Amino acid sequence: MAAPASAPRTRRRIPWSVVGFLAPALVIYTVFMVLPLLDSLRRSLFTASGELAGLDNYVTLLTDPDWAPRFWGAFANNIVFFAIHMLVQNPVGLLLAVLLTTRVLRGRTVYRTLIFAPTVLSVVIIGFIWKLILSPLWGVMEGAMEAVGLGDFYLPWLGLQGPALIVVSLMSVWQFVGIPMLLFSAALLSIPDEIIEAARTDGAGAWRIFRSIQLPLILPTVGIVAILTFVGNFNAFDLVYTVQGGLAGPEFSTDLFGTYFFRTFFGFQLQLGDPVMGATVAGMMFLIILFGVCLYLFGAQRRLQRVDP
Amino acid sequence: MKKKSLALGAAGVMALTAAMPIATTAQDPVKLTIESWRNDDLGIWEDVIIPAFEAQHPEIDVTFAPTPPADYNATLQTKLEGGTAGDLITCRPFDASLALYDAGYLASLNDLPGLANFGDVAKSAWITDDGSNVFCVPMASVIHGFIYNKDIFEELGITQLPTTDEELEAILAQIKEDGRYTPLAMGTKDMWESATMGFQNVGADLWQGEEGRKALIAGEAKLTDQPYVDALAELAAWRDFLPEGFEGISYPDAQQYFATGQAAVYPAGSWDIAFFEGQGLDIGFFGPGDVDGDGDCVISDHTDIALGLNAASPNAEAAKTFLDWVASAEFASLYSNSLPGFFSLSNEPVTLEDPVAQEALDLRATCDSTIRNSYQILSRGTPNLENELWAVSAAVINGTLTPEEGAARLQEGLDSWYAAD
């Protein structure tokens, strides 16, 4: 289109096309995300009647015996929820990615599609399917475990205080394992074959290739997956709400920040919604997520060098 | 292909425009809109209740516009704040509606003649704390008790329905002994059944109904008192009669389990009657009976739904005409018969065509009525007593709390914010 000779001159002009392309996203993001976020933070600094409260709401949330136990309970549960994702979802995602990028495996795309499928399903469906599978009355889980001789180990996990959170976390892992798998796959595929072939010629086995070549080269992706998992987990709400209900039972043992926020802000049954304390919970969630993201940005990402082969 | 979809689109537009004049012409009747969370009842309102009203009042055109139950409170709040809410507001019991009245969104209905048809218990859920202003017309209550499977009772030779908790436990034990059926169909996963169908159901008689409920509010009784510990102990005793894995059984699970004839007794709210009859099950209803052994009985006859007037409605006069009709015997009969299991709160006698619903309603004649003790005033603070009751009742049935520990925790939570004045 434009003659190459005019290129240097246009560089100095304001690139309106760039502004034009950015504007819709910027406007929508500002109006629907940034402003509400700021307004929510502002709200958490005021009382219900509109007087400036400073940090009083935060002090109440973190120390008041009526609020603090639920808040810290949700915090602890969220950490467990996150830990299970980091220990199960991401390693399994990496393993699947490595397996599905090896050339020897047949039907890779079929596997990839199947494993990714739950990610695109509605959480309501995921929750419903798993509730049915695990149901003590008509679930297939008990029968399946009996078939492999583990029938004695079957329990109605979702109703038990100890295992409920772990089981819900594993459902979420099952649903979202496709995302790390996809990201890791993309990173692994971007490693040039020559490097791996050279290593193989030098006598390196599969494990050695993974540990010394593939893993270091996909480290930036490992970091991104970790931070995506962190943000996703600390915002999680829908699965617990679908499977365990708004009170995140039994005895709040599956209560995450998301469900705690929901109950506080919107109310539950006879509990009336409390927009101010709800905004305060949201403010704490924001700070915690911000802290985690900063830790990653300044602690990890700056040290990682993306290798562009 | 393209032509076809165009044709379909055109047909759709034509159907729409054809439907529109019905709403706009007809000599400009006053239009009323009802806000409600009862989207299950849409058909009944459109086909039975509203036509009956419009036949007498052709000058008023009523529309029933429900919102899904879970969204209702939030949606209604937004609509009221934005001034777009309908003329008539379906009222949740107690604080949710009281908050709307206090904020000036609901009008006082003290001058509505039809309110004379309602007793104090009926009005208690929609009245200011000092009793000076009523702001919704009571529509219906739900009664707690037990639904039983007649075929199973017959098969096991159980002919005498229980009238005390000992008799109930003896029957449950007999069913368990026989081994073919699960005695009691309930789970604790969703928790609210434990509190509502359990604690409030068997407890009402233990704490002497209204007397005990008011004593709690007045601060004269505590949840650690014997009646409340006993009510939780009754629940703990149910554990042996529940299906295997009850900790993981949800409300719809338990419903289906009973509906498929695998369990003999179902701790129920009267609203369940219609569902089980719809499944073709031959059922009967009995109350919790004389639980404390003092010769009388109290049932949980919980005020659940009412209708109020949007204070900002431009059609207040027409809306009051409708509300007065809602307070009438005709509405009581129409509503109770259209929705078996929802019982009119009117003093006017109502005859029900559904025999099982009538069995539940008959309990009013032999027993005193009370409402759930956590609903008025006591669930205003944090921790919320109703939420605590759910968690504690389920934990007591699960065996993770003893009845004494459960009662202590309930009272502790209440003490942390509530002091009777």
Side-chain angles (χ1 to χ4, degrees):
Chain A
M1 296 227 266
S6 67
R9 211 177 287 165
T10 51
R11 220 179 272 158
R12 293 209 186 126
R13 272 194 232 140
I14 298 173
W16 285 113
S17 58
V18 175
V19 175
F21 282 125
L22 283 179
L26 198 70
V27 168
I28 290 172
Y29 190 76
T30 308
V31 171
F32 290 104
M33 298 289 287
V34 179
L35 292 180
L37 182 68
L38 291 177
D39 192 54
S40 165
L41 286 174
R42 182 195 62 78
R43 212 166 181 178
S44 69
L45 301 176
F46 288 82
T47 64
S49 52
E51 290 147 26
L52 189 68
L55 293 175
D56 285 358
N57 293 328
Y58 288 90
V59 174
T60 306
L61 182 65
L62 299 181
T63 60
D64 187 278
D66 285 340
W67 292 93
R70 284 281 75 77
F71 176 82
W72 292 113
F75 185 63
N77 289 341
N78 231 322
I79 288 181
V80 173
F81 191 70
F82 175 57
I84 291 174
H85 280 79
M86 287 301 283
L87 293 174
V88 182
Q89 176 190 279
N90 299 346
V92 170
L94 181 57
L95 180 72
L96 290 171
V98 173
L99 289 178
L100 294 181
T101 46
T102 48
R103 300 275 143 81
V104 287
L105 194 70
R106 278 162 177 271
R108 280 170 303 179
T109 41
V110 177
Y111 283 122
R112 206 175 306 165
T113 314
L114 283 178
I115 292 168
F116 195 74
T119 309
V120 296
L121 280 182
S122 154
V123 183
V124 180
I125 296 173
I126 304 278
F128 187 66
I129 290 173
W130 276 103
K131 269 193 340 192
L132 275 183
I133 292 175
L134 296 175
S135 165
L137 289 179
W138 25 68
V140 293
M141 189 53 115
E142 193 171 6
M145 286 178 69
E146 262 160 22
V148 292
L150 293 171
D152 291 344
F153 292 96
Y154 173 80
L155 291 170
W157 292 295
L158 288 176
L160 302 176
Q161 264 180 61
L165 178 60
I166 299 171
V167 173
V168 172
S169 308
L170 291 177
M171 282 179 203
S172 167
V173 165
W174 177 82
Q175 180 179 12
F176 290 116
V177 74
I179 289 177
M181 179 193 75
L182 221 60
L183 290 170
F184 286 134
S185 296
L188 287 169
L189 287 175
S190 71
I191 299 173
D193 289 341
E194 300 88 63
I195 305 181
I196 291 170
E197 270 158 31
R200 203 167 282 140
T201 321
D202 287 345
W207 170 246
R208 184 70 200 269
I209 291 174
F210 173 73
R211 207 179 58 82
S212 303
I213 297 171
Q214 288 175 315
L215 189 60
L217 286 176
I218 63 165
L219 263 187
T221 308
V222 174
I224 287 168
V225 166
I227 203 66
L228 283 179
T229 311
F230 175 76
V231 175
N233 285 174
F234 276 78
N235 274 325
F237 159 73
D238 34 15
L239 187 68
V240 176
Y241 185 74
T242 319
V243 177
Q244 301 295 73
L247 278 187
E251 287 271 36
F252 301 107
S253 62
T254 50
D255 201 17
L256 302 179
F257 277 138
T259 44
Y260 183 53
F261 165 76
F262 177 83
R263 282 200 313 276
T264 313
F265 192 91
F266 293 102
F268 185 74
Q269 281 297 112
L270 302 188
Q271 178 187 339
L272 297 181
D274 183 343
V276 170
M277 286 310 284
T280 312
V281 177
M284 280 310 297
M285 289 168 71
F286 174 69
L287 290 179
I288 289 168
I289 293 172
L290 188 70
F291 176 76
V293 173
C294 286
L295 214 63
Y296 162 77
L297 268 182
F298 298 113
Q301 203 196 29
R302 297 228 165 153
R303 295 194 201 151
L304 290 172
Q305 281 292 317
R306 180 175 279 280
V307 184
D308 285 322
Chain B
M1 187 65 200
K2 203 168 193 180
K3 251 184 195 162
K4 204 173 188 180
S5 61
L6 263 178
L8 271 177
V13 170
M14 271 157 72
L16 271 178
T17 44
M20 255 155 36
I22 298 172
T24 48
T25 55
Q27 300 199 347
D28 292 353
V30 182
K31 275 196 258 173
L32 294 177
T33 307
I34 304 176
E35 301 281 349
S36 174
W37 70 88
R38 292 296 308 169
N39 49 2
D40 288 353
D41 304 345
L42 180 63
I44 286 153
W45 279 91
E46 285 185 339
D47 301 338
V48 182
I49 297 175
I50 293 175
F53 174 76
E54 287 177 349
Q56 297 167 24
H57 296 275
E59 77 283 6
I60 301 176
D61 177 20
V62 186
T63 311
F64 185 72
T67 316
D71 303 339
Y72 180 70
N73 294 15
T75 311
L76 179 66
Q77 185 77 33
T78 316
K79 282 185 176 175
L80 286 168
E81 281 170 12
T84 58
D87 310 276
L88 295 157
I89 312 282
T90 305
C91 303
R92 299 270 192 193
F94 298 104
D95 286 2
S97 292
L98 183 60
L100 294 181
Y101 174 76
D102 285 340
Y105 292 129
L106 287 176
S108 170
L109 297 177
N110 285 346
D111 54 351
L112 198 75
L115 276 181
N117 293 341
F118 298 92
D120 286 343
V121 175
K123 286 187 281 196
S124 65
W126 300 285
I127 200 164
T128 47
D129 287 356
D130 60 5
S132 62
N133 278 303
V134 179
F135 43 83
C136 298
V137 177
M139 278 161 72
S141 74
V142 290
I143 291 176
H144 289 302
F146 299 87
I147 292 175
Y148 66 99
N149 185 319
K150 280 189 174 165
D151 294 336
I152 295 178
F153 269 44
E154 200 172 313
E155 193 180 335
L156 300 181
I158 303 166
T159 48
Q160 190 69 40
L161 291 179
T163 55
T164 66
D165 61 321
E166 283 97 12
E167 286 176 25
L168 174 62
E169 268 180 41
I171 287 174
L172 294 175
Q174 183 191 339
I175 299 164
K176 191 183 166 84
E177 184 79 8
D178 177 76
R180 274 176 291 173
Y181 302 102
T182 303
L184 210 52
M186 195 180 85
T188 58
K189 182 167 174 296
D190 290 348
M191 300 189 282
W192 64 269
E193 311 98 295
S194 309
T196 315
M197 269 87 115
F199 186 77
Q200 305 285 2
N201 185 2
V202 297
D205 187 49
L206 287 167
W207 57 73
Q208 308 298 327
E210 285 294 280
E211 195 183 307
R213 185 179 76 80
K214 287 182 174 149
L216 267 187
I217 294 171
E220 292 151 12
K222 298 213 167 294
L223 288 158
T224 44
D225 292 349
Q226 205 54 44
Y228 303 96
V229 178
D230 286 348
L232 290 171
E234 291 279 335
L235 294 189
W238 283 10
R239 190 184 314 144
D240 291 338
F241 304 122
L242 296 174
E244 190 106 342
F246 64 89
E247 294 98 330
I249 294 177
S250 65
Y251 173 65
D253 281 346
Q255 268 187 324
Q256 289 297 341
Y257 191 62
F258 183 76
T260 48
Q262 299 178 69
V265 181
Y266 175 91
S270 50
W271 66 86
D272 285 312
I273 292 172
F275 172 75
F276 291 131
E277 287 187 328
Q279 303 282 310
L281 213 60
D282 193 9
I283 54 170
F285 195 97
F286 60 85
D290 179 14
V291 186
D292 59 359
D294 65 353
D296 62 11
C297 58
V298 184
I299 50 165
S300 170
D301 183 0
H302 189 71
T303 48
D304 192 53
I305 185 169
L307 198 64
L309 168 63
N310 182 353
S313 164
N315 308 315
E317 277 317 304
K320 282 193 173 173
T321 309
F322 186 78
L323 285 172
D324 216 32
W325 181 74
V326 166
S328 71
E330 184 193 356
F331 178 85
S333 171
L334 266 181
Y335 191 80
S336 304
N337 275 308
S338 309
L339 297 164
F342 288 88
F343 305 107
S344 166
L345 287 157
S346 167
N347 292 336
E348 305 277 347
V350 172
T351 320
L352 297 181
E353 285 146 29
D354 185 308
V356 185
Q358 186 66 48
E359 276 175 45
L361 188 59
D362 285 345
L363 291 173
R364 273 191 192 164
T366 50
C367 302
D368 288 331
S369 290
T370 184
I371 56 174
R372 297 176 197 154
N373 60 4
S374 51
Y375 271 57
Q376 191 174 25
I377 302 177
L378 298 182
S379 285
R380 273 181 199 169
T382 309
N384 183 287
L385 180 62
E386 173 72 357
N387 292 357
E388 283 287 284
L389 265 180
W390 289 20
V392 165
S393 303
V396 166
I397 297 180
N398 288 353
T400 49
L401 285 179
T402 66
E404 289 78 14
E405 286 166 355
R409 181 168 134 194
L410 292 173
Q411 185 60 36
E412 204 179 304
L414 193 59
D415 280 340
S416 73
W417 63 269
Y418 183 70
D421 39 33

